[in-house]
Amino acid sequence: MKALVLSGGAGTRLRPITHTSAKQLVPVANKPVLFYGLESIADAGITEVGIIVGDTADEIRAAVGDGSQFGLSVTYIPQEKPLGLAHAVLIARDFLGDDDFVMYLGDNFIVGGIDDIVEDFRGSRPDAQILLTKVPDPRAFGVAVLDAEGQVVALEEKPERPQSDLALVGVYLFTSRIHDAVRAIEPSWRGELEITHAIQRLIDDRAAVRSTVIQGYWKDTGNVVDMLEVNRMVLESLESRTDGEVDAESETVGRVVVEPGARVTRSRIVGPAIIGAGTQVSDSYIGPFTSVGENCTVSDSELEFSIVLRDAAIRGVGRIESSLIGRHAEVTTQTAPGVPSAHRLVLGDHSKVRIQP
């Protein structure tokens, strides 16, 4: 069995972060989201992985390499532009051959991995197996319609009027029969080859399509709110560790990780939280559910329920919360006698700023 991991896409919902970085490499608890998926694939006993890459191919290659750090053998499959999940299957045909495979969206996060799901599929080998979860607003997802006996009878892609609240999770399992289905469908109104249409083709052809409603935690980390929520959940499983330096005037409370080379002085850190390698924290408060990346500076500031990417600097800021701060970003306050109080901002496209009066 092989794996096909999708790591293309523009990541428009995470802009401006994704103007300069692949969305799959935005860190959760200081580890890229993509890495969690690759680890789950390896844990399920799959070793051959094809990664679909687009405009951020160089960055993905640099981070993942040949896959050996995960116990995997990785083949990169270029996609000229994101033309749909079924298009990814189409262009991966040579890599996949006639093998069964799991297709995993690289920005998705599933707690507990996919071991049981893969084992179940290997045992029964339906032509397709999809994972479903109940969501409050199905309009942003592919949606499955089940009959009274729980069998899949129809799939809809981002419907205006959903017929159910069961959204497709970004993990699919297929036999080679899916290849005929993806060749048979036409692009949707979005100009994409939809995997929901290909699976619907299997259903129409009376192929065996099974569904599993997962009870565990799943998130599509394609927006800031969900990214922060996944970060919170992962941090809750931290085990305290101090490999850096915490001075006698500082206090750590709860599950706190201080990575090698990090230095905490005259500060209070309340976990769960992680301070990245080489980061300097001084005269500050770091609150729960906060990840500070490597080589950052946090001084005379308060930070909580946030993600700070590497090489960022936060100085003299009274309070930051529920925020995603990009690489090399600088957040500061400046006051001078006789100068009117004002905010000075340099923001990228699609930025969002909330300023308290």
Side-chain angles (χ1 to χ4, degrees), residues 251-264:
E251 179 185 21
T252 61
V253 179
R255 295 185 298 277
V256 174
V257 171
V258 180
E259 297 281 11
R263 190 164 185 262
V264 179

Side-chain angles (χ1 to χ4, degrees), residues 1 22 68 109 123 125-126 168 170 192 208 217 259 275 283 316 328 341:
M1 191 170 189
S68 58
F109 189 93
R125 290 195 73 242
L168 277 76
E192 297 186 3
Y217 186 92
E259 297 281 11
I275 309 301
D283 303 295
H328 299 278
S341 177

Side-chain angles (χ1 to χ4, degrees), residues 23 100 136 148 157 176 188 204 247 254 326 342-343 349:
K23 64 177 179 177
D100 297 348
E157 183 62 33
S176 60
S188 67
D204 295 342
D247 75 356
H343 300 286
D349 296 347

Side-chain angles (χ1 to χ4, degrees), residues 197-264:
H197 292 176
I199 300 171
Q200 183 65 53
R201 179 67 181 236
L202 291 177
I203 295 170
D204 295 342
D205 290 343
R206 300 186 180 279
V209 178
R210 288 181 49 186
S211 68
T212 302
V213 179
I214 63 172
Q215 304 301 323
Y217 186 92
W218 165 78
K219 280 288 183 183
D220 169 2
T221 61
N223 61 61
V224 173
V225 172
D226 287 340
M227 182 68 70
L228 291 173
E229 175 62 18
V230 171
N231 187 64
R232 179 198 64 78
M233 190 282 305
V234 175
L235 288 176
E236 286 185 331
S237 64
L238 279 183
E239 294 185 7
S240 297
R241 175 167 46 86
T242 301
D243 295 328
E245 180 183 344
V246 179
D247 75 356
E249 297 178 72
S250 298
E251 179 185 21
T252 61
V253 179
R255 295 185 298 277
V256 174
V257 171
V258 180
E259 297 281 11
R263 190 164 185 262
V264 179

Side-chain angles (χ1 to χ4, degrees), residues 30-281:
N30 286 2
K31 182 165 69 176
V33 171
L34 175 61
F35 286 15
Y36 291 95
L38 293 175
E39 289 169 354
S40 292
I41 288 167
D43 289 343
I46 300 170
T47 58
E48 293 184 71
V49 178
I51 300 182
I52 302 290
V53 291
D55 292 341
T56 59
D58 290 345
E59 191 177 9
I60 299 292
R61 287 175 185 268
V64 177
D66 63 2
S68 58
Q69 61 179 307
F70 307 99
L72 302 172
S73 174
V74 168
T75 299
Y76 293 95
I77 304 168
Q79 186 180 37
E80 186 175 336
K81 56 183 178 178
L83 294 174
L85 304 188
H87 181 260
V89 175
L90 191 67
I91 63 174
R93 183 68 173 93
D94 289 343
F95 165 76
L96 294 169
D98 291 326
D99 294 318
D100 297 348
F101 67 98
V102 55
M103 184 167 72
Y104 198 116
L105 274 58
D107 60 352
N108 275 227
F109 189 93
I110 299 177
V111 172
I114 59 173
D115 304 33
D116 293 343
I117 299 162
V118 170
E119 184 178 355
D120 182 48
F121 178 83
R122 282 173 163 156
S124 55
R125 290 195 73 242
D127 295 303
Q129 185 164 340
I130 59 176
L131 307 187
L132 306 174
T133 189
K134 291 188 176 183
V135 296
D137 185 3
R139 292 175 297 175
F141 302 95
V143 174
V145 180
L146 308 183
D147 63 17
E149 298 178 352
Q151 299 298 311
V152 184
V153 295
L155 298 175
E156 305 173 288
E157 183 62 33
K158 296 180 173 62
E160 283 294 323
R161 296 179 176 82
Q163 297 182 53
S164 86
D165 60 356
L166 292 172
L168 277 76
V169 173
V171 177
Y172 309 79
L173 300 102
F174 298 112
T175 67
S176 60
R177 190 163 178 179
I178 191 65
H179 297 298
D180 290 335
V182 298
R183 285 195 298 267
I185 61 174
E186 298 292 334
S188 67
W189 62 269
R190 300 192 303 166
E192 297 186 3
L193 292 176
E194 312 285 2
I195 197 65
T196 48
H197 292 176
I199 300 171
Q200 183 65 53
R201 179 67 181 236
L202 291 177
I203 295 170
D204 295 342
D205 290 343
R206 300 186 180 279
V209 178
R210 288 181 49 186
S211 68
T212 302
V213 179
I214 63 172
Q215 304 301 323
Y217 186 92
W218 165 78
K219 280 288 183 183
D220 169 2
T221 61
N223 61 61
V224 173
V225 172
D226 287 340
M227 182 68 70
L228 291 173
E229 175 62 18
V230 171
N231 187 64
R232 179 198 64 78
M233 190 282 305
V234 175
L235 288 176
E236 286 185 331
S237 64
L238 279 183
E239 294 185 7
S240 297
R241 175 167 46 86
T242 301
D243 295 328
E245 180 183 344
V246 179
D247 75 356
E249 297 178 72
S250 298
E251 179 185 21
T252 61
V253 179
R255 295 185 298 277
V256 174
V257 171
V258 180
E259 297 281 11
R263 190 164 185 262
V264 179
T265 57
R266 300 178 303 279
S267 298
R268 188 168 192 259
I269 303 177
V270 178
I274 184 168
I275 309 301
T279 285
Q280 307 292 308
V281 178

